[in-house]
Amino acid sequence: MLLEIPNVLTAEQVAQCRRAMEQAEWVDGRVTAGPQSALAKDNQQLPEDHPVARQMGDLILEALQGDALFMAAALPLRVFPPLFNRYGPGQSFGTHVDNAVRQSKGIGHRIRTDLSATLFFTHPEEYDGGELVIEDTYGAHSVKLPAGHMVLYPSTSLHHVTPVTRGARVCSFFWIQSMVRDDGERWLLFDLDMAVQRLNQESRDSEVAVRLTGVYHNLLRRWAEI
Ligand code: NI
């Protein structure tokens, strides 16, 4: 399942990051690609250990900590330090699947990539093309979100970025190791969580809500790996 998370960053935070990115030197995006996806990948990236990348990455990680929708959907155990890419005219990233395990220069440990995230820094009207197309069992989904918004999708999905034909597309991308590895179990918990929250808002029958909250936690206890 695919989920859009609106307003991860404010317009002011997006503007601040974009100013910082304009000053930074970008490198060929193939530096973080495996040999197979290097053939498909044509974009630019900020070097992983670039101070601007680290500073903006920390801003994103802090914003995610306070984002209730992200926390409920991802049930994060570890989040990979965010990376940043830019696609100019003619650039694209062909169909690929993200590496299952990644190690960052910044963190000592490896993470298993359960969820992939793309956070948009450019507005849809600033560029043509550059859609993120994600394939799942229900078909292909094309995603192009307002700046500051993010999409979360299972890292098991084949995906690609269509060629940019005008302007530039700037995004952050990163991965999440979830406490709940299985996508189906994780989405079931998310669904239950959302339903219980609505019940709490709409009903005074707290006994039912308490029982369902108990079911949520007992399922999480059963499925969580920490
Ligand atoms: Ni990818």
Side-chain angles (χ1 to χ4, degrees):
M1 193 174 145
L2 200 139
L3 183 73
E4 289 182 20
I5 303 182
N7 303 310
V8 170
L9 296 182
T10 64
E12 180 44 47
Q13 288 171 320
V14 167
Q16 183 194 329
C17 290
R18 285 187 60 168
R19 280 193 298 272
M21 281 190 265
E22 273 165 27
Q23 308 299 321
E25 321 80 44
W26 295 73
V27 298
D28 192 313
R30 292 178 184 93
V31 286
T32 53
Q36 192 189 37
S37 66
L39 298 172
K41 190 174 188 181
D42 178 17
N43 65 9
Q44 290 183 302
Q45 269 178 222
L46 283 183
E48 216 174 314
D49 46 6
H50 195 293
V52 168
R54 292 285 55 84
Q55 207 180 340
M56 294 189 301
D58 289 346
L59 179 80
I60 294 169
L61 294 178
E62 202 184 312
L64 291 174
Q65 281 288 328
D67 193 307
L69 187 60
F70 170 77
M71 296 303 279
L75 297 170
L77 179 62
R78 292 173 182 155
V79 183
F80 194 88
L83 300 171
F84 298 84
N85 62 17
R86 180 168 71 183
Y87 294 78
Q91 293 193 304
S92 64
F93 196 164
T95 302
H96 66 282
V97 70
D98 294 341
N99 287 357
V101 176
R102 299 207 73 112
Q103 181 153 22
S104 146
K105 287 180 185 166
I107 50 173
H109 46 72
R110 286 169 289 189
I111 80 159
R112 185 187 64 230
T113 59
D114 296 322
L115 286 160
S116 298
T118 297
L119 171 59
F120 291 75
F121 279 92
T122 33
H123 300 282
E125 54 279 12
E126 290 180 88
Y127 59 101
D128 291 328
E131 281 92 3
L132 170 64
V133 181
I134 300 158
E135 293 173 28
D136 71 13
T137 49
Y138 292 95
H141 307 271
S142 180
V143 182
K144 189 171 185 175
L145 300 180
H149 294 217
M150 187 173 98
V151 63
L152 203 57
Y153 60 98
S155 300
T156 48
S157 324
L158 285 172
H159 56 279
H160 66 274
V161 177
T162 66
V164 167
T165 56
R166 175 188 65 90
R169 171 201 196 265
V170 179
C171 288
S172 174
F173 64 104
F174 51 95
W175 301 273
I176 297 110
Q177 179 171 343
S178 177
M179 291 188 286
V180 178
R181 173 193 204 132
D182 183 82
D183 196 54
E185 291 171 350
R186 193 182 330 105
W187 286 113
L188 203 55
L189 285 168
F190 178 62
D191 218 9
L192 181 57
D193 189 2
M194 294 298 106
V196 171
Q197 285 188 36
R198 268 191 64 186
L199 190 64
N200 276 327
Q201 284 162 10
E202 289 172 6
S203 154
R204 288 172 170 269
D205 189 349
S206 63
E207 198 194 321
V208 173
V210 168
R211 279 186 169 270
L212 288 174
T213 301
V215 172
Y216 174 85
H217 283 287
N218 291 334
L219 287 172
L220 182 57
R221 205 183 324 274
R222 178 172 291 228
W223 291 334
E225 310 158 61
I226 52 174

